[in-house]
Amino acid sequence: MSTLRTHDDTWDIRTSVGTTAVMVAAARAVETEQPDPLIRDPYAKLLVTNAQAGVLWEAMLDPDMVAKVDELDAEAAAMIRHMRGYQAVRTHFFDTFFRNAADAGIRQIVILASGLDSRAYRLDWPAGTTVYEIDQPQVLDYKSTTLADHGVTPSADRREVAIDLRQDWPAALRDAGFDPTVPTAWLAEGLLMYLPAEAQDKLFTQIGELSAPGSRVAAETAANQADDRRQQMRERFRQIAEQLGYEETIDVGELMYRDENRARVSDWLNDHGWRATAQTSTDEMRRLGRWVEEVPMADDKDAFSEFVTAERL
């Protein structure tokens, strides 16, 4: 269980779970500037540098950061390379999911806990597409205001649904114009690890109730890293941050819920009216040339997530 979470906690882009959105955007920004990037997010760096969510996340934009860490701790440097590569692969996978959904004629999109996701702005959506983004009010406001202030406009009809997913978000989604009678493409990326097991089940139940036949859902599952290993790496990263002059940041692992009773997402969906398949993130990283051989826990399959896609029957 998480020690930093409560049933009614809230956050903005500088606190708690909100800071993880900045971390992910930083990884997308780094990938975008690679010679042959898997994804291109022209807005990620802007969203990171304006967030003021901590020196460490901004430091991730430094192309020499890994080399600096490598001089202090080679295994920690491998973890950073893995994290950057993982985020690029994850983004690529779900970008492809949305493109395939659009090619199949789906024009209603819902991004759950959207954070600093910029797909409503950077993907080439077909005419008539509506993208609903659900997240905490302050997170949505930061993103839309920052991008608007820099002249960035959405490439689809973007609609904010400013509500916590623990509240009655289906009603708020309908109030924003969502039509449950037409097929929808749903995304739960970077979300499930921040939910208890029963909340994960409830989320997918609610999605099912709102999904017409032909709807699609994609999700990143919650990996399960051993507590002792996580604490060991946390302490090593703390020491590195101190030596390099980065301010201490919140322990992302402490924001997550680790629950041995959590259902396997693909199995749950297959048992509840969906046809689901799962792709291990490690295999996808290898396929796309982003796997880091030196990464710790490489032989522990539970320490890595799956990417699940499903279609409503």
Side-chain angles (χ1 to χ4, degrees), residues 30-197:
V30 169
E31 179 65 22
T32 297
E33 296 182 354
Q34 297 304 303
D36 186 21
L38 284 178
I39 58 100
R40 288 182 171 84
D41 186 342
Y43 313 119
K45 188 172 183 178
L46 170 64
L47 291 167
V48 172
T49 55
N50 280 268
Q52 298 178 336
V55 175
L56 183 56
W57 298 152
E58 289 192 32
M60 289 182 63
L61 301 176
D62 180 358
D64 298 323
M65 181 189 184
V66 175
K68 295 174 183 177
V69 175
D70 199 30
E71 293 178 357
L72 301 172
D73 189 328
E75 190 174 72
M79 285 291 291
I80 294 173
R81 289 196 300 272
H82 170 81
M83 189 279 288
R84 286 177 170 178
Y86 173 82
Q87 297 297 341
V89 168
R90 184 182 84 169
T91 302
H92 178 274
F93 185 92
F94 294 123
D95 281 0
T96 301
F97 164 77
F98 278 132
R99 291 189 181 102
N100 290 341
D103 288 345
I106 294 177
R107 298 292 181 265
Q108 186 163 254
I109 310 298
V110 179
I111 303 176
L112 301 155
S114 58
L116 297 185
D117 186 306
S118 64
R119 291 184 174 97
Y121 296 84
R122 65 178 178 81
L123 292 187
D124 186 17
W125 297 103
T129 300
T130 301
V131 179
Y132 296 91
E133 294 191 14
I134 304 177
D135 211 322
Q136 298 267 350
Q138 294 179 82
V139 174
L140 290 173
D141 180 68
Y142 166 76
K143 177 169 59 179
S144 59
T145 299
T146 299
L147 294 179
D149 286 348
H150 289 80
V152 181
T153 58
S155 54
D157 177 6
R158 176 180 177 269
R159 302 188 187 182
E160 295 184 355
V161 184
I163 191 170
D164 192 300
L165 286 169
R166 292 165 295 190
Q167 299 170 352
D168 190 2
W169 64 266
L173 183 62
R174 288 192 183 95
D175 288 345
F178 176 85
D179 183 354
T181 68
V182 302
T184 303
W186 303 83
L187 177 61
E189 177 188 30
L191 167 60
L192 301 184
M193 64 284 293
Y194 303 114
L195 299 178

Side-chain angles (χ1 to χ4, degrees), residues 179-313:
D179 183 354
T181 68
V182 302
T184 303
W186 303 83
L187 177 61
E189 177 188 30
L191 167 60
L192 301 184
M193 64 284 293
Y194 303 114
L195 299 178
E198 65 274 13
Q200 174 179 299
D201 292 350
K202 180 179 179 180
L203 179 73
F204 284 116
T205 297
Q206 292 170 311
I207 290 172
E209 292 170 348
L210 294 168
S211 295
S215 292
R216 301 183 183 192
V217 64
E220 172 195 21
T221 67
N224 186 22
Q225 188 179 128
D227 284 345
D228 57 346
R229 181 63 179 174
R230 182 184 58 77
Q231 292 292 352
Q232 181 189 71
M233 291 305 298
R234 170 61 178 165
E235 177 58 24
R236 289 164 70 173
F237 279 119
R238 186 196 66 77
Q239 294 178 12
I240 291 168
E242 184 176 288
Q243 292 180 66
L244 294 179
Y246 301 139
E247 73 178 52
E248 182 69 10
T249 59
I250 196 166
D251 182 357
V252 173
E254 287 297 324
L255 299 172
M256 301 177 183
Y257 289 90
R258 291 171 293 281
D259 193 331
E260 294 181 356
N261 297 318
R262 187 185 297 274
R264 185 168 185 248
V265 173
S266 57
D267 291 343
W268 191 98
L269 290 170
N270 279 324
D271 289 340
H272 290 82
W274 300 81
R275 181 173 58 248
T277 59
Q279 172 70 38
T280 62
S281 61
T282 52
D283 285 349
E284 190 69 358
M285 290 183 75
R286 289 186 174 97
R287 185 181 75 84
L288 294 173
R290 290 298 192 274
W291 177 251
V292 178
E293 293 294 342
E294 301 84 2
V295 71
M297 311 163 302
D299 58 348
D300 181 5
K301 66 180 181 64
D302 291 334
F304 301 93
S305 66
E306 292 183 328
F307 302 145
V308 176
T309 57
E311 183 172 355
R312 189 69 166 163
L313 301 176

